Amino acid sequence: MILLRKFTFWFSALSIFICLSDQLGSGIANIILSGFAPISWLIRTVQFRTWMIDDSVFGDSSVLVTFRFQAYLIHFCTFIIVGFLLDYLIHLFKRKQKMKIA
């Protein structure tokens, strides 16, 4: 039950939900996935665009793009890193509070 209190768990679950809903064809998930900062920075770089997006499905002019597995992996890893950082900051804050009390 301690796992349910961790940001790492919830952020990874959210990332999996976003990636699965995008894979199943949800347009909202596509906007969330392509608008998230690390992925959008890499997509704007020409050399990574073909590595992360399959342009052959919709072409360059479409808002809906088909992401490759690498994009989902980067999205998932980014969410886990953010969750770890938040959990670590909370741990440091709680430790500091305990030191003040003692």
Side-chain angles (χ1 to χ4, degrees):
M1 296 314 275
I2 287 178
L3 185 63
L4 294 176
R5 293 188 219 164
K6 300 287 185 181
F7 278 105
T8 305
F9 171 76
W10 289 109
F11 275 43
S12 61
L14 179 65
S15 176
I16 290 171
F17 174 74
I18 290 170
C19 291
L20 283 177
S21 62
D22 181 63
Q23 190 66 27
L24 295 174
S26 172
I28 299 296
N30 196 299
I31 292 169
I32 292 171
L33 195 65
S34 64
F36 194 65
I39 292 177
S40 62
W41 293 335
L42 287 174
I43 288 173
R44 289 186 188 116
T45 307
V46 176
Q47 65 214 27
F48 290 114
R49 184 173 176 80
T50 58
W51 183 67
M52 294 178 63
I53 294 177
D54 188 12
D55 287 335
S56 63
V57 177
F58 292 110
D60 287 334
S61 63
S62 178
V63 173
L64 295 176
V65 294
T66 303
F67 289 101
R68 297 179 192 258
F69 178 73
Q70 294 90 337
Y72 296 126
L73 187 63
I74 290 170
H75 186 266
F76 182 73
C77 290
T78 304
F79 269 58
I80 285 204
I81 289 170
V82 169
F84 275 134
L85 288 174
L86 287 173
D87 287 336
Y88 183 67
L89 289 173
I90 290 171
H91 171 73
L92 289 177
F93 180 74
K94 285 182 179 181
R95 194 169 95 190
K96 191 175 183 179
Q97 292 297 325
K98 281 184 183 179
M99 292 176 86
K100 281 184 179 179
I101 293 172

